[in-house]
């Protein structure tokens, strides 16, 4: 099987597991939501930090 097809199947299986966990478990909903909000906050911080580094004049 082609490597790209294997990668797509792997991504789909991960998505399916996360979706089923979100549907059937309220604890999974809380954990996954917490991870997404936390990762989003860290990403926003790094974006602004790197913009600050780029815009800084030495």
């Amino acid at each position: 099987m082609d490597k790209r097809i294997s990668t797509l199947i792997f991504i789909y299986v991960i998505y399916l597991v996360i979706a089923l966990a979100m549907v059937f478990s309220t604890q999974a909903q809380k954990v996954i939501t917490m991870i997404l909000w936390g990762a989003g906050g860290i990403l926003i911080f790094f974006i602004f930090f790197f913009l600050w580094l780029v815009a800084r004049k030495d």
Side-chain angles (χ1 to χ4, degrees):
M1 197 173 354
D2 191 14
K3 183 169 173 45
R4 290 178 290 180
I5 294 173
S6 298
T7 304
L8 287 175
I9 291 173
F10 176 74
I11 291 171
Y12 174 74
V13 168
I14 296 296
Y15 174 79
L16 182 66
V17 168
I18 291 172
L20 289 175
M22 292 285 272
V23 168
F24 291 119
S25 171
T26 57
Q27 188 63 32
Q29 289 175 356
K30 292 176 185 176
V31 169
I32 295 171
T33 303
M34 176 183 60
I35 290 170
L36 289 175
W37 280 99
I42 292 170
L43 182 67
I44 289 171
F45 170 77
F46 279 124
I47 289 171
F48 281 109
F49 179 71
F50 286 123
L51 286 174
W52 175 72
L53 284 179
V54 169
R56 190 174 61 167
K57 303 285 185 192
D58 286 335

